[in-house]
């Protein structure tokens, strides 16, 4: 198989890789904020339960979570396995990354001085206005480097979808490598991921500079 044909075949799975990436971000970023707020709840039971869930999600392999979400319903409840494996893949990725984003959000929120909340209260801001107009913009600016790091990791983690035989780019490359007994497909996949991460890093870097309004 020529290099051109190999690249064309693997590029067919690139769209699925991008689907995992963008859908995971779409769901995990807001879900992570919700989990962070539950983790910081003054209700001790809610806080402890959320902390336990985060610990499980961060303490077990993403690969295991992919298998659990994809095949768990069948073994536990005898439900049929989803024909569209993108659905369980995105669910597993979104839940896993929400746990990481939640801790990043929590760190950012807790880094804001208490005096800002008090000043906002004196000025007549409601708790919602204080959070969304004063606290959240500062949190986003502070946590952006950490969020960028997780997003870069996500690009590479999309390759784990091969665990449940979802035909994304790495899975196709792996199949070609096995059939051709060649390491070249893995090199091509590595180049794809490197370029993808380069685009992500450039975009996030531009956003970070845009938010660096004190310089």
């Amino acid at each position: 198989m020529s290099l051109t044909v190999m690249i064309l075949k693997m590029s067919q799975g690139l769209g699925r890789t991008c689907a995992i990436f963008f859908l995971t971000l779409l769901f995990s970023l807001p879900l992570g904020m919700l989990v962070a707020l539950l983790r910081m709840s003054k209700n001790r039971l809610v806080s402890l339960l959320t902390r336990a869930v985060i610990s499980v999600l961060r303490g077990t392999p993403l690969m295991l979570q992919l298998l659990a979400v994809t095949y768990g319903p069948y073994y536990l409840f005898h439900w049929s396995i989803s024909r569209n494996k993108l659905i369980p893949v995105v669910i597993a990725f979104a839940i896993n990354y929400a746990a990481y984003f939640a801790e990043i959000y929590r760190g950012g929120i807790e880094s804001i001085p208490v005096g800002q909340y008090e000043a906002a209260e004196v000025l007549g801001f409601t708790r919602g206005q204080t959070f969304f107009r004063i606290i959240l913009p500062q949190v986003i600016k502070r946590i952006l480097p950490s969020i960028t790091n997780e997003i870069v990791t996500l690009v590479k983690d999309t390759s784990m979808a091969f665990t449940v035989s979802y035909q994304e780019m790495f899975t196709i490359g792996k199949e070609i490598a096995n059939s051709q007994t060649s390491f070249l497909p893995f090199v091509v996949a590595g180049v794809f991921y490197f370029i993808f991460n380069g685009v992500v890093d450039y975009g996030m870097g531009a956003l970070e500079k845009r938010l660096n309004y004190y310089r």
Side-chain angles (χ1 to χ4, degrees), residues 16-160:
R16 294 178 179 180
T17 296
C18 291
I20 297 172
F21 175 78
F22 289 112
L23 288 173
T24 297
L25 289 182
L26 178 65
F27 294 114
S28 64
L29 286 170
L31 180 58
M33 178 59 72
L34 176 60
V35 174
L37 294 176
L38 291 174
R39 171 73 175 81
M40 298 171 65
S41 172
K42 292 182 179 179
N43 185 312
R44 186 167 177 77
L45 179 60
V46 172
S47 179
L48 287 174
L49 285 175
T50 307
R51 183 175 181 178
V53 171
I54 291 174
S55 296
V56 170
L57 291 172
R58 296 174 70 198
T60 56
L62 174 57
M63 188 180 297
L64 178 60
Q65 293 168 31
L66 278 166
L67 291 171
V69 174
T70 305
Y71 303 113
Y74 173 77
Y75 289 110
L76 294 174
F77 310 108
H78 301 290
W79 294 348
S80 61
I81 297 173
S82 176
R83 292 183 180 180
N84 184 0
K85 288 188 177 178
L86 177 62
I87 296 173
V89 166
V90 170
I91 290 173
F93 269 88
I95 293 174
N96 178 272
Y97 270 83
Y100 286 93
F101 287 141
E103 289 299 280
I104 294 174
Y105 287 141
R106 183 175 68 87
I109 293 170
E110 292 182 346
S111 71
I112 305 298
V114 179
Q116 295 203 24
Y117 293 92
E118 296 171 347
E121 186 178 356
V122 170
L123 292 172
F125 284 89
T126 64
R127 294 184 66 179
Q129 289 174 328
T130 300
F131 182 76
F132 287 105
R133 294 187 180 183
I134 299 174
I135 305 302
L136 189 58
Q138 297 180 73
V139 169
I140 291 173
K141 183 176 181 295
R142 294 186 182 196
I143 67 174
L144 202 56
S146 299
I147 291 291
T148 299
N149 186 57
E150 289 300 323
I151 292 176
V152 167
T153 301
L154 172 60
V155 173
K156 296 175 288 184
D157 278 354
T158 56
S159 62
M160 289 192 185

